[in-house]
Amino acid sequence: MNKKELPILQMLEDIKGDKIILTILMLLIIVSMLSISSSTSMLALELDMTRLDIIREQVFTIAVGLGITALVYFLFKYNHIKALSRWGFVISFCLLMILILRIKLPGIIEVGKMNEAERIIKVFGMNIHVVEVIKLGMIMYTAWAISSYHENELKWGKILHSKIATRKPQLGKLLTTKTLNKWIYIYFPIGFASVIAAGMSLFTSIFIIGLCGVMIVIGKILRPRYVLHFAIAAAAVSASVMILNRISDGGMFSHLQSSLNRFDIQYEKALKEADGTADFQKVLDKVRQPISAKYAIKEGGLFGKGPGNSTQKYVVPIIYEDYMFAFIVEEYGIFGVLLVLILYSSLLARGNIIVRNIREEFGKMAVVGIVFLISGQAMFHILMNIGIFPISGQTLPMISHGKFSFWIFSAAFGVLLNLSKLGKENIERETKQSAPILESDLSEDNIRSSMDELDKLQ
């Protein structure tokens, strides 16, 4: 059986993107199918469906996700991705404004709640999880801003500097074009998106600052010696958000207080305070989930209970989303842990190799941001499950249940595969450029000439 008999093998062979990244993607999808087919018993009861229905739904989600990955990979070129990335902040800004202003167009746009916070926009009935869009959008925008800064493609700083220098020369020397461009295109957008996102998800706010901060350090926008200044600024922004939240009595950032409460997980105290009240069951449910997740990890042991034998999936209502790692440990034990860690660590390592082979600044920064987004969120999810980090509601990328999140990460993998072609193309280009030199040196005429010269010398 050859490749012509199996078109899919030929298609895979023709893909110029990094095969290791593609393999990691496929393995993550396999783990997702195995996990979701076994972990969604409670979801099936809640939706009055069978587990087979949920499996079919997940197959559909995966099919659409792979379609998105293929679309981004085959349809878009490097310049297209870079041009679209400059709109990442604008898209994030518009989505945040719709949530803040609660803009509503009957039958077209509505604002919905998730985990007691307004973080969903319904467009023609389809749920858009704003926090997922913002994370990828701001990473792609930051990659564009960093590359455009180094390539002197940013204009507003130059325009503003000329006006300042004309009116106040001394101030113009202090606020150079490069400094203004940093603040206008990089620092302000990151700060604005982080502050507004804190009202929906404190974790997302911290995550955006952290990821974009790493990118601007690696991209040589912020020198290492100024990292402390950046950290102080981030702390000042966080303090301002908390002060505004306290002044507004939780009205300005409705989800912030519940996020802060998660840092203080005193289970017995919470149950004692709620005892005898109408909210006791709600408090019990919140306490039960992190405790049961830890039981799942403990009971998994070395070999796990085996596929389909989890007991905590009947206790933790959303084990297939926020506590997917704990479920994998319970059913597959340490081997499941190693598989998950190897996949995300391999993605991080492979991303490093891809970056080293890419000359284009935007390609480098976009790969850095996407790899850190996927592997970083996975690490946060794992640390949350084992109790080191507070509950943040972050899913395990490409494994946890959730259509929109899966599709966003599918798009991220599409960009990653697309940009990975740059490294291979650069290597092939250099090989072709060096080929004529080799051919001329080893041509028949040159060999004969060399032999004749050798005979004369003898």
Side-chain angles (χ1 to χ4, degrees):
M1 187 177 293
N2 55 36
K3 293 174 185 175
K4 292 183 179 179
E5 294 174 354
L6 288 175
I8 190 170
L9 292 180
Q10 182 62 47
M11 184 180 71
L12 291 174
E13 183 68 23
D14 293 338
I15 292 177
K16 294 182 180 179
D18 191 83
K19 300 294 194 302
I20 303 297
I21 296 293
L22 184 60
T23 302
I24 292 171
L25 172 62
M26 293 303 174
L27 290 174
L28 287 172
I29 288 174
I30 291 172
V31 174
S32 175
M33 278 300 302
L34 291 173
S35 301
I36 288 175
S37 63
S38 179
S39 66
T40 49
S41 301
M42 292 287 285
L43 180 63
L45 291 173
E46 181 182 342
L47 300 177
D48 194 21
M49 300 168 62
T50 65
R51 282 169 57 188
L52 184 60
D53 293 330
I54 293 177
I55 293 172
R56 288 174 184 156
E57 183 185 71
Q58 185 64 16
V59 170
F60 170 77
T61 300
I62 290 171
V64 173
L66 289 176
I68 293 171
T69 303
L71 184 69
V72 174
Y73 176 82
F74 289 107
L75 186 61
F76 294 96
K77 294 182 179 180
Y78 172 79
N79 291 334
H80 298 155
I81 295 175
K82 184 177 179 181
L84 288 172
S85 296
R86 69 184 301 170
W87 297 100
F89 172 66
V90 175
I91 293 171
S92 300
F93 176 84
C94 292
L95 292 176
L96 288 169
M97 288 299 100
I98 290 173
L99 289 179
I100 292 173
L101 301 176
R102 296 181 177 87
I103 296 174
K104 181 178 180 181
L105 297 175
I108 301 177
I109 297 177
E110 293 182 6
V111 175
K113 284 191 175 184
M114 181 180 179
N115 295 335
E116 302 176 359
E118 293 176 335
R119 58 173 69 176
I120 296 176
I121 297 175
K122 296 182 179 180
V123 180
F124 295 108
M126 177 179 159
N127 290 338
I128 296 177
H129 293 253
V130 176
V131 291
E132 302 296 341
V133 177
I134 291 174
K135 283 185 285 188
L136 182 59
M138 288 305 300
I139 282 172
M140 297 305 295
Y141 169 80
T142 303
W144 169 83
I146 291 172
S147 64
S148 298
Y149 172 83
H150 287 302
E151 293 164 7
N152 295 320
E153 295 177 353
L154 304 176
K155 62 179 183 179
W156 290 111
K158 184 177 181 180
I159 295 172
L160 187 59
H161 177 263
S162 64
K163 293 182 178 181
I164 293 174
T166 302
R167 296 179 180 179
K168 296 183 178 181
Q170 294 299 326
L171 185 60
K173 292 180 181 180
L174 180 64
L175 299 175
T176 63
T177 297
K178 287 189 174 182
T179 301
L180 290 169
N181 277 332
K182 285 181 183 180
W183 281 97
I184 294 171
Y185 289 94
I186 300 175
Y187 298 151
F188 172 75
I190 293 172
F192 178 85
S194 301
V195 170
I196 301 302
M200 298 180 295
S201 170
L202 183 61
F203 171 85
T204 300
S205 177
I206 296 172
F207 204 42
I208 291 173
I209 291 176
L211 284 176
C212 294
V214 169
M215 291 176 69
I216 63 178
V217 171
I218 294 176
K220 298 179 181 179
I221 298 295
L222 186 69
R223 295 179 182 178
R225 62 181 178 178
Y226 294 134
V227 171
L228 179 60
H229 298 175
F230 182 81
I232 293 172
V237 169
S238 302
S240 301
V241 170
M242 292 181 184
I243 291 171
L244 289 172
N245 180 66
R246 179 64 63 88
I247 294 173
S248 63
D249 196 22
M252 186 170 292
F253 301 99
S254 59
H255 190 62
L256 180 60
Q257 192 58 48
S258 61
S259 298
L260 292 173
N261 291 339
R262 291 171 179 172
F263 284 90
D264 184 23
I265 306 176
Q266 300 180 20
Y267 303 119
E268 293 182 4
K269 180 182 177 182
L271 288 173
K272 186 176 180 181
E273 291 178 351
D275 190 21
T277 67
D279 293 331
F280 178 78
Q281 190 60 44
K282 292 182 180 179
V283 175
L284 180 62
D285 289 338
K286 289 181 179 180
V287 168
R288 182 187 292 133
Q289 293 187 58
I291 292 178
S292 298
K294 292 178 183 177
Y295 273 122
I297 293 173
K298 182 180 179 181
E299 292 176 359
L302 184 62
F303 300 102
K305 296 179 179 178
N309 294 324
S310 167
T311 55
Q312 296 304 318
K313 65 184 177 183
Y314 299 107
V315 180
V316 183
I318 52 173
I319 198 169
Y320 47 82
E321 290 181 354
D322 296 356
Y323 297 96
M324 181 57 86
F325 179 76
F327 169 81
I328 292 173
V329 177
E330 185 183 12
E331 290 210 342
Y332 298 97
I334 193 66
F335 296 104
V337 173
L338 290 175
L339 176 60
V340 171
L341 292 178
I342 287 172
L343 288 176
Y344 291 115
S345 299
S346 298
L347 178 65
L348 195 62
R350 196 62 186 177
N352 180 46
I353 294 173
I354 293 170
V355 167
R356 284 187 293 172
N357 288 321
I358 296 177
R359 290 199 301 266
E360 293 80 356
E361 185 70 21
F362 170 76
K364 285 178 179 286
M365 298 315 305
V367 170
V368 167
I370 291 173
V371 166
F372 273 105
L373 168 65
I374 298 171
S375 58
Q377 180 162 322
M379 291 304 108
F380 271 106
H381 175 94
I382 292 170
L383 293 172
M384 181 197 76
N385 275 227
I386 63 180
I388 294 178
F389 280 5
I391 303 167
S392 60
Q394 298 301 311
T395 58
L396 195 58
M398 300 304 293
I399 295 180
S400 291
H401 182 270
K403 291 181 182 178
F404 195 82
S405 175
F406 189 93
W407 294 339
I408 288 292
F409 282 114
S410 296
F413 266 100
V415 173
L416 194 57
L417 286 167
N418 194 311
L419 296 178
S420 69
K421 292 187 295 184
L422 294 174
K424 185 178 289 187
E425 290 171 358
N426 290 335
I427 293 172
E428 290 176 353
R429 191 182 302 113
E430 291 175 2
T431 302
K432 288 180 180 179
Q433 290 174 353
S434 62
I437 299 174
L438 294 174
E439 289 173 3
S440 62
D441 289 341
L442 299 178
S443 63
E444 186 177 354
D445 292 339
N446 283 340
I447 292 174
R448 283 183 178 179
S449 177
S450 298
M451 294 300 293
D452 290 341
E453 289 177 2
L454 183 59
D455 289 338
K456 291 179 181 179
L457 179 63
Q458 290 177 343

